[in-house]
Amino acid sequence: MKSIFPKGVIDKITGKCLVLSGNDIDTDRIIPARFLKCVSFNQLGDKVFADDRISLKGTHPFDLKVNKGSKILIVDENFGCGSSREHAPQALMRWGIRAIIGNSFAEIFYGNCLALGIPCATISKNEINNLKELIKQDQENIWEFNLKQQLLNHKDNRISFKIESGPLNMLRTGKWDATSQLMGNKEELNKTILNLPYLNKFN
Amino acid sequence: MSSGTLYDKVWDLHRVADLPGGSTQLFIGLHLIHEVTSPQAFAAINEKGLKVRFPERTIATVDHIVPTTSQKRPFADPLAEEMLAKLEENCTNFGIKLYGLGSGNQGVVHVMAPELGLTQPGMTVACGDSHTSTHGAFGAIAFGIGTSQVRDVLASQCISMNKLKVRRLWFEGSLSKGVYAKDLILHVIRNLGVKGGVGYAYEFAGPAIEILSMEERMTICNMAIEGGARCGYINPDEITFEYLAGKKNVPTGEAWDRAVKWWKRLSSDKKAQFDDEVIFNASEIAPTVTWGITPGQGIAIDECIPKTEALKGSELSIAKEAYSYMDLKPGSPIEGVPINVCFIGSCTNGRLSDLKAAAKIAKGRHVARGIKAFVVPGSEQVAKEAKKEGLNDLFISAGFEWREPGCSMCLAMNPDKLEGNQISASSSNRNFKGRQGSSNGRTLLMSPAMVAAAAIKGQVTDVRNML
Ligand code: SF4
């Protein structure tokens, strides 16, 4: 099945949660450098966590049958640290991930996700552990990631998460595609340029 | 909130507008691109039928995928060849200047741009590469961006961004003999952690910083990102101006005088407000080596690998992962750890002064038996100057290989790779699992002089005993 990438207003994401434990999971692990040799992102979905998956021989969370088709990724601290490569969120997105919840995220990774329409939400350590427990207990494991409520809903469970107001706004209004906005504001841009000494012979 | 810092001043000058999501539209003064993170951005520009808004403000080079042995085209690796061909095609189509192989200025993007005088104080510099923080050494606000932002900069010369907080890292004293800029930044990351700088720009300041050369300053700002800070910078001063004077792309005559005047005003004010400040004493820093799988896992050369008892929380869990991956024992000394491969190069330590520092150690000595040691100049310009000083011959007669410029074994996108669980002494910036091309390869980060010392002894060694 061809996956449909995020588009327009993002208010709700419904799907299975996939738990990936560990702090400081860097972009080299999400997508090993040798797979960066490509001129398009199309093939990256299968390669996500390639080396970790090889070494775990089928027991990596991204290989487990129960996790097939998951949309919501649960991580720990400082997820996505390391390089600025967008290949990392691209690989996750092409695998099928549409939202990430964690204790904290590396900044560039966070921005790259936002630019793809993938919300990164933060929750406390206690809540993550709690969430992991709940996921373990439920075979069906279908959750609703609700941006409006900033809640992860599941049967009787409500787990609140946080998304910074700026990004939240962008996702909920469908304005996370920055390019078109940046191409506006022409007058302001010209003013900025006229004011920059190094673009005006330092006058 | 910070005020009166260089960061604030440069930010304000480049602020175009506030965007609906609450972020700022920021003008980018210098955009650098390379073959790895640009093709998808150009593809998006083509798909949307857009133009490059200011082609003259984007400069390209090729670094990550180039082989360092033979650079004959087509490359042996068809994927690498395809990536370079794509970059050439995009640059031609959109009118972007490309410093390609053999141009005399090709090199690792963060090495070649300063050499060309492209990086100047007061600019905003962006590149699809996290080590763009390097350019902060000039008093520029420089940061890495993702491919979708590369697309944005191509289309609009702007990005959407949130302002960072500013932390001043103040360094008293001065670095001791045998201790280098690399040790200073490894020391910072060790102390503040790999996440310590998240949300911050780092201003490096104080007497110990003011006396450093531009190349040393670049090494420090280069690794701000390893400490979690998206950008790091140093206020421009006479050393900065002296470096810039006479470089291509730098103003001359009266424009130069006006430029210097403006650059001087950019420095953080005496009364500037910082969001946070940390004080270090540079005189207390020793040669520093990483033993684990994050750049924060560094220790002084005369220390032992931390025992589990000394660690807590998340530090402990990542340490446990590191012990088993690195196959090193807690409590054992780092000095004397046998190594297999020695790499001198990268955007952290591939400049002329780095090669000179290593050459000083290699001179009149020889690489230990069974060790593969190689030197990769950061750019064609560095290679040329090094050859002029006879460094290539010096290294070769000491048993090192002398290579062509590129990113080389800093990461595994070209033929230079570790094999199996080889352990390397590396002057690069990242010791992540698998970073150097083998999924169980191991990396010890250290200064270029320390790498040379390790090559000679065949094991991790205190370079201070070899000066
Ligand atoms: S030398 Fe290493 S860190 Fe620097 S740009 Fe190349 S790959 Fe990146």
Side-chain angles (χ1 to χ4, degrees), chain B residues 361-426:
Chain B
I361 305 303
K363 192 176 175 185
R365 297 186 170 112
H366 203 276
V367 169
R369 240 201 169 150
I371 306 281
K372 174 192 169 75
F374 61 117
V375 182
V376 186
S379 70
E380 292 181 349
Q381 188 72 35
V382 171
K384 192 173 133 196
E385 285 167 30
K387 281 182 191 162
K388 234 196 277 170
E389 301 199 14
L391 299 185
N392 54 333
D393 293 334
L394 187 156
F395 278 119
I396 291 167
S397 55
F400 291 80
E401 289 174 50
W402 177 262
R403 299 288 189 83
E404 303 288 340
C407 291
S408 185
M409 215 182 64
C410 178
L411 98 173
M413 289 196 71
N414 54 68
D416 302 336
K417 293 176 169 57
L418 290 180
E419 287 164 23
N421 72 343
Q422 277 184 330
I423 188 161
S424 80
S426 180

Side-chain angles (χ1 to χ4, degrees), chain A residues 178-184 189 193, chain B residues 16 25-28 45 50-54 149-160:
Chain A
T179 319
S180 39
Q181 290 172 50
L182 293 172
M183 288 177 66
L189 179 66
I193 290 174
Chain B
V16 175
Q25 176 173 354
L26 197 72
F27 180 79
I28 300 302
I45 295 281
L50 303 174
K51 284 205 199 82
V52 174
R53 182 77 172 78
F54 293 103
Q149 290 174 308
V150 174
R151 175 199 63 204
D152 293 347
V153 179
L154 290 172
S156 69
Q157 201 60 37
C158 295
I159 63 164
S160 145

Side-chain angles (χ1 to χ4, degrees), chain B residues 176-183 285-289 300-302 334-336 344 354 356-363 365 400 446-457 459-467:
Chain B
S176 321
K177 210 164 169 218
V179 182
Y180 304 85
K182 177 65 156 287
D183 300 304
I285 301 173
T288 302
V289 180
I301 179 70
D302 46 12
I334 191 72
E335 190 165 12
I344 296 172
D354 300 312
K356 276 184 171 169
K360 225 170 134 182
I361 305 303
K363 192 176 175 185
R365 297 186 170 112
F400 291 80
M446 59 190 84
S447 76
M450 284 284 285
V451 176
I456 306 290
K457 300 283 181 192
Q459 49 178 255
V460 178
T461 301
D462 192 338
V463 70
R464 291 175 297 189
N465 301 328
M466 294 175 73
L467 289 169

Side-chain angles (χ1 to χ4, degrees), chain A residues 27 30 78-90 104-116 118 120 164, chain B residues 37 126-133 142-150 159-161 164 197-200 222 224-226 228-231 430:
Chain A
T27 49
I30 300 174
N78 199 28
F79 186 73
C81 59
S83 82
S84 65
R85 66 183 69 143
E86 191 185 321
H87 302 66
Q90 282 278 358
S104 62
F105 296 91
E107 219 165 292
I108 302 180
F109 177 84
Y110 185 99
N112 283 339
C113 283
L114 181 62
L116 295 178
I118 297 176
C120 291
E164 279 171 53
Chain B
T37 51
C127 173
D129 190 286
S130 50
H131 291 97
T132 309
S133 58
F143 42 80
I145 55 179
T147 294
S148 52
Q149 290 174 308
V150 174
I159 63 164
S160 145
M161 202 180 183
L164 298 166
V198 174
Y200 284 95
N222 174 276
I225 185 72
E226 265 65 55
R230 194 159 175 196
C231 70
R430 287 189 173 148

Side-chain angles (χ1 to χ4, degrees), chain B residues 30-53:
Chain B
L30 173 66
H31 183 215
L32 302 167
I33 58 171
H34 59 76
E35 73 285 8
V36 181
T37 51
S38 70
Q40 300 87 356
F42 281 111
I45 295 281
N46 281 327
E47 249 167 50
K48 296 188 179 190
L50 303 174
K51 284 205 199 82
V52 174
R53 182 77 172 78

Side-chain angles (χ1 to χ4, degrees), chain A residues 84-98:
Chain A
S84 65
R85 66 183 69 143
E86 191 185 321
H87 302 66
Q90 282 278 358
L92 289 167
M93 177 180 82
R94 282 162 203 272
W95 188 87
I97 298 300
R98 292 293 175 269

